[in-house]
Amino acid sequence: MRVALFATCIGDTMFPDAAKATALLLTRLGHDVVFPSGQTCCGQMHVNTGYQPEALPLVTNYADTFGDISIDAVVAPSGSCVGSVRHQHEIVAERYGTASLCGQVKTVKAKTYELSEFLVDVLGVTDVGAYFPHRVTYHPTCHSLRMLRVGDKPLQLLRNVRDIDLVELPEADSCCGFGGTFAIKNAETSTAMLADKIRHVADTGAEFCSAGDSSCLMHIGGGLSRLQMGTKTIHLAEILASVESRVHA
Amino acid sequence: MSAVTLGLPSFPPRSPEGAGFLRGAEKFPAAAHHELANAQLRRNIGKATHTIRAKRIHVTEELPDWEELRDAGSAIKTDVMARLPELLEQFEAAVIARGGTVHWAADANEANAIVTELVKTTGSDEVIKVKSMATQEIGLNEHLETQGITAYETDLAELIVQLGHDKPSHILVPAIHRNRSEIREIFLREMPDVDPELGDNPAELAAAARKFLRHKFMTTPVAISGANFGIADTGTLTVVESEGNGRMCLTLPKTLITVMGIEKILPTYRDLEVFLQLLPRSSTGERMNPYTSMWTGVTPGDGPQEFHLVLLDNGRTAALADKIGREALNCIRCSACLNVCPVYERTGGHAYGSTYPGPIGAVLTPQLAGMHGKDDPNSTLPFASTLCGACFDACPVKIDIPSLLVELRHQKVEQSGVTAEALAMKAASYAMSSSTRWTAAQKAAGLGRIVAGKKGKISTLPPPLNGWTAARDIPAPPKQTFRSWWDSDEGRAALDQARRGAHPDSDGKAEK
């Protein structure tokens, strides 16, 4: 399958390891991974902050970049960016775009997937042959959970990772408090939510807190770092891309 | 005859400023700051919302057709909003036909004036009240007070709030922010003839309230209520409650005055079938609410002999005029969204500054009362959410609150004109609309590594980003963006290795 990687703006710039892991994982699974260099950002920050006309060029750019018919699927290591493509692009296109853009947006959104969805629903794989000998807890980010309804797909994938010690996160489905510009506009409330999330992460005794969204991990990781807690954050893709080094390699 | 103006459509009026409680004194972040500092409040709210949340999940999961009920509730309310004018006229005619009197109030001021006049006509200077969001919204108790009329709340939690000279902080559990020792202190201080030995266990507190309220029920000739539902085809009004105090008010006094928001209409009596299942399960986590009172006009010799219905707009037609935002009018005030909201859980209801707190309040309040520029506290409400979506999942009539919040943010930004944020967003849009410009911007972002220094993280940023770094570090931007890795020899080699990993046989041969 010819799979285009959507690295997302924050993934490309700040958290390239999650995008690298996605590319390597899908390549290892036998797919032809391409990175259309015209890609930038899905526009979620603009839409969620109230700037819909400003999101239009980004929606257009996304549709143009991934509209290429040789691309079978677009995969992003981010539930919230895929959520934006799926639920917001049409709203922006219908309000401010042309009829042809509306059509393009519909076509492209239908082939855009979050990583765990793509692996489980499209490829039918729950064991990706990963090896990760660590204690891990998983935070199911809000947009993956409630916009995309990925359900337990990430957990199905994690349960099949060799030697992983997967521990349940208490109150896993409560928001970490990031919410994009919410973290700045309502910094104190955001911090109060983060404090509870970090307490729950600490309760698991995990070495790694994992999630399917780099932005939520930036928030949780930012708090863990400030408190100098030992727990590290890691994107789901990075765990799934980890393999036991071969003897001959 | 009224003058006809051609060309300029006039928008329906919002709730007037200065009347009632649809606008707080402070913006949400500032109000939240005070509430977040109150550890007792956070404990009380956290405990209460978690308890109700668990009960709600239990009683909704046991219904095999819960999702269908939600769909039905949503469909009925959407239909109501689509033909509200005709349903209201049908309802009005039915109420009058059964001996009720109908009054129309465009806003809080009109509604307060109508009710005051009605109470004065009875000659009473005291009224008893059934718990009602509509009368709180218009500030009726406070208005009556200025007119020399004392209103007594009879719902236990409302009574606690009233005696505590406090404001409700939850739609359904108005005293959710109080614990029982605080309640005991309020009773001791404010209730006449209370036993000074009063303990703080719920039974003793309830008994003290009962004694106080019984006297009021037996001696007050006028009651004021809200309504959960108004049935268009029969003219029937409905109040659902847990304590029975509401029913006492609805049956004992000689005069009953009901203030009902115009959106509370249901087309037919049969529609109650859906809502009487949805409401108690969503609000208190009960299968059925203990008391469902219904009345239709007046019945000689039984119950109040005079019934007045005040139909309240107060910004509702303004909300109805917004084809996206009108969905908020479907709300049946169950408060399920409050109980699951992580923001409400931390800040409590007072931070929202309105009779309607929590996620639904964040969309309903700005629509009813408007967002008047950047200094209006109401303009900060649509931003008081992480858009986590828990409210949408919990809503019994499937109101897409996150999408409504996003729409209101859009409306607010459209009204705000040029701001520093707007300039930054426009600049970001420009930079991100072409990959050439975006790649250049990424290089500039790499400067963050200099700020981060040797420790590899950024712990202080200038305003407005200092809100982030008050509690969170930001990692230094990596040396290499993904796209430069992708184009690098290192990237190509890694992908090549992964490709060989995809075909272990050929890989093995190549290695040998």
Side-chain angles (χ1 to χ4, degrees):
Chain A
M1 210 185 261
R2 193 169 156 83
V3 183
L5 172 67
F6 174 40
T8 79
C9 63
I10 194 172
D12 183 10
T13 314
M14 291 292 290
F15 301 97
D17 288 347
K20 284 180 200 174
T22 307
L24 294 172
L25 171 65
L26 294 173
T27 303
R28 200 180 78 217
L29 294 173
H31 299 281
D32 177 18
V33 178
V34 294
F35 178 77
S37 64
Q39 64 179 275
T40 58
C41 166
C42 66
Q44 182 187 189
M45 175 182 77
H46 285 92
V47 177
N48 283 354
T49 315
Y51 294 84
Q52 292 187 18
E54 289 77 6
L56 181 68
L58 311 185
V59 170
T60 307
N61 186 60
Y62 184 89
D64 286 344
T65 307
F66 295 106
D68 180 350
I69 52 158
S70 74
I71 295 170
D72 299 312
V74 185
V75 176
S78 164
S80 73
C81 300
V82 172
S84 176
V85 170
R86 219 172 273 173
H87 295 285
Q88 298 181 331
H89 279 202
E90 230 171 316
I91 295 170
V92 173
E94 276 174 12
R95 214 168 198 167
Y96 300 103
T98 59
S100 84
L101 178 66
C102 292
Q104 226 182 331
V105 158
K106 275 197 180 90
T107 313
V108 179
K109 89 166 188 184
K111 63 175 180 181
T112 301
Y113 301 93
E114 180 271 338
L115 178 62
S116 73
E117 276 182 337
F118 183 70
L119 293 170
V120 178
D121 292 347
V122 182
L123 301 183
V125 184
T126 53
D127 185 349
V128 295
Y131 169 80
F132 196 73
H134 300 282
R135 192 173 174 92
V136 174
T137 194
Y138 183 78
H139 168 62
T141 63
C142 299
H143 289 175
S144 296
L145 203 62
R146 287 181 279 261
M147 254 177 139
L148 299 182
R149 305 277 169 204
V150 301
D152 72 339
K153 283 161 205 162
L155 290 170
Q156 290 179 40
L157 291 157
L158 285 172
R159 281 188 205 114
N160 284 319
V161 171
R162 312 284 177 270
D163 286 5
I164 195 168
D165 177 14
L166 191 62
V167 280
E168 197 183 324
L169 180 65
E171 295 195 26
D173 59 2
S174 72
C175 179
C176 71
F178 174 58
T181 46
F182 175 85
I184 312 258
K185 286 180 191 277
N186 285 286
E188 290 178 274
T189 309
S190 169
T191 303
M193 291 162 70
L194 177 63
D196 289 337
K197 183 58 71 181
I198 283 182
R199 182 165 48 81
H200 293 311
V201 170
D203 286 347
T204 65
E207 294 165 70
F208 290 94
C209 173
S210 175
D213 259 289
S214 294
S215 50
C216 306
L217 288 174
M218 175 174 75
H219 187 235
I220 298 169
L224 289 167
S225 162
R226 176 61 55 90
L227 296 173
Q228 302 192 317
M229 307 214 357
T231 317
K232 292 186 277 291
T233 51
I234 188 167
H235 195 284
L236 172 70
E238 292 176 73
I239 296 179
L240 299 180
S242 298
V243 284
E244 194 168 5
S245 307
R246 290 204 218 149
V247 186
H248 65 267
Chain B
M1 211 171 116
S2 60
V4 176
T5 315
L6 291 175
L8 282 173
S10 65
F11 288 96
R14 306 269 182 191
S15 167
E17 271 190 76
F21 300 105
L22 288 177
R23 183 169 271 105
E26 284 179 304
K27 292 180 176 183
F28 185 84
H33 172 79
H34 308 310
E35 305 298 314
L36 284 163
N38 186 343
Q40 180 69 53
L41 173 126
R42 263 166 82 184
R43 265 196 300 279
N44 295 349
I45 290 183
K47 188 165 183 290
T49 54
H50 276 75
T51 308
I52 305 173
R53 215 187 284 183
K55 278 175 74 183
R56 180 184 64 83
I57 288 170
H58 176 69
V59 297
T60 56
E61 279 180 347
E62 70 186 12
L63 279 192
D65 61 345
W66 181 248
E67 289 306 313
E68 286 79 4
L69 275 170
R70 289 177 75 203
D71 286 334
S74 174
I76 292 168
K77 290 301 268 188
T78 304
D79 170 55
V80 166
M81 297 318 149
R83 49 193 194 95
L84 193 56
E86 63 171 269
L87 289 172
L88 281 167
E89 284 182 23
Q90 187 190 5
F91 180 55
E92 177 188 37
V95 172
I96 293 168
R98 295 298 300 267
T101 307
V102 177
H103 310 259
W104 295 83
D107 59 31
N109 291 326
E110 277 189 31
N112 285 333
I114 292 166
V115 174
T116 304
E117 189 54 38
L118 290 170
V119 176
K120 282 186 174 166
T121 306
T122 68
S124 176
D125 59 1
E126 284 190 351
V127 298
I128 47 175
K129 285 194 69 215
V130 185
K131 176 177 165 12
S132 144
M133 299 306 289
T135 60
Q136 251 168 42
E137 171 190 324
I138 61 176
L140 179 64
N141 291 5
E142 292 76 4
H143 178 81
L144 289 174
E145 195 72 54
T146 66
Q147 302 296 307
I149 300 163
T150 310
Y152 292 98
E153 291 291 347
T154 65
D155 174 87
L156 179 54
E158 288 290 357
L159 179 67
I160 293 164
V161 169
Q162 191 182 32
L163 293 176
H165 307 288
D166 198 359
K167 278 187 181 173
S169 61
H170 188 282
I171 289 176
L172 195 87
V173 201
I176 195 169
H177 56 294
R178 297 290 199 185
N179 63 22
R180 60 197 205 191
S181 71
E182 291 175 290
I183 294 166
R184 174 180 171 270
E185 282 164 29
I186 292 170
F187 280 10
L188 281 175
R189 200 172 58 230
E190 302 284 338
M191 239 177 217
D193 308 327
V194 75
D195 176 5
E197 298 298 307
L198 180 70
D200 72 353
N201 68 67
E204 275 185 79
L205 294 172
R210 181 176 294 128
K211 184 170 158 244
F212 171 76
L213 288 172
R214 273 298 147 108
H215 178 69
K216 296 292 167 202
F217 291 137
M218 304 311 287
T219 56
T220 313
V222 189
I224 298 173
S225 85
N228 289 96
F229 308 104
I231 312 298
D233 68 349
T234 60
T236 303
L237 277 297
T238 313
V239 161
V240 299
E241 41 134 5
S242 298
E243 297 168 358
N245 292 337
R247 177 168 292 180
M248 301 285 263
C249 301
L250 296 166
T251 50
L252 288 172
K254 191 172 159 290
T255 301
L256 173 60
I257 303 164
T258 297
V259 182
M260 183 185 111
I262 53 171
E263 83 286 13
K264 294 267 175 178
I265 292 278
L266 295 179
T268 70
Y269 199 80
R270 181 157 183 194
D271 296 320
L272 282 172
E273 168 198 352
V274 172
F275 292 93
L276 291 181
Q277 294 185 76
L278 287 175
L279 183 53
R281 284 178 198 263
S282 303
S283 56
T284 49
E286 290 167 304
R287 296 181 179 90
M288 189 73 215
N289 52 286
Y291 295 88
T292 302
S293 302
M294 298 188 213
W295 68 101
T296 313
V298 291
T299 307
D302 183 21
Q305 293 301 295
E306 252 195 78
F307 170 56
H308 293 272
L309 174 64
V310 181
L311 287 167
L312 175 72
D313 186 326
N314 207 35
R316 283 162 177 78
T317 50
L320 193 67
D322 184 330
K323 75 175 181 180
I324 297 173
R326 74 166 60 143
E327 199 184 332
L329 294 176
N330 293 2
C331 174
I332 57 172
R333 312 285 189 263
C334 73
S335 68
C337 64
L338 275 62
N339 297 331
V340 297
C341 178
V343 173
Y344 176 88
E345 188 183 328
R346 272 69 181 196
T347 63
H350 292 157
Y352 295 80
S354 161
T355 296
Y356 305 106
I360 190 64
V363 293
L364 194 57
T365 304
Q367 292 200 91
L368 295 177
M371 296 183 281
H372 301 157
K374 65 179 172 60
D375 295 325
D376 183 353
N378 279 356
S379 69
T380 61
L381 292 180
F383 298 88
S385 166
T386 62
L387 306 177
C388 84
C391 50
F392 186 16
D393 275 12
C395 178
V397 290
K398 295 196 170 176
I399 300 171
D400 184 355
I401 297 175
S403 294
L404 298 186
L405 288 165
V406 168
E407 171 60 20
L408 285 172
R409 291 175 184 190
H410 168 64
Q411 291 179 11
K412 192 259 170 174
V413 164
E414 296 277 285
Q415 289 170 19
S416 296
V418 183
T419 62
E421 181 189 88
L423 293 173
M425 287 288 174
K426 278 184 210 301
S429 169
Y430 178 74
M432 288 170 154
S433 56
S434 111
S435 62
T436 318
R437 287 195 291 269
W438 176 231
T439 313
Q442 283 181 319
K443 289 208 174 72
L447 293 173
R449 275 201 308 284
I450 298 166
V451 180
K454 277 186 187 162
K455 64 185 191 306
K457 60 189 178 190
I458 301 166
S459 301
T460 35
L461 282 170
L465 303 175
N466 55 349
W468 177 282
T469 46
R472 292 150 289 205
D473 292 333
I474 293 184
K479 282 189 181 137
Q480 201 178 29
T481 60
F482 173 77
R483 68 180 66 218
S484 54
W485 175 83
W486 179 269
D487 288 330
S488 69
D489 291 339
E490 184 201 342
R492 272 188 287 272
L495 285 160
D496 209 37
Q497 200 188 0
R499 216 166 278 129
R500 280 182 282 129
H503 305 286
D505 293 342
S506 61
D507 172 60
K509 278 169 205 158
E511 289 289 318
K512 279 168 196 165

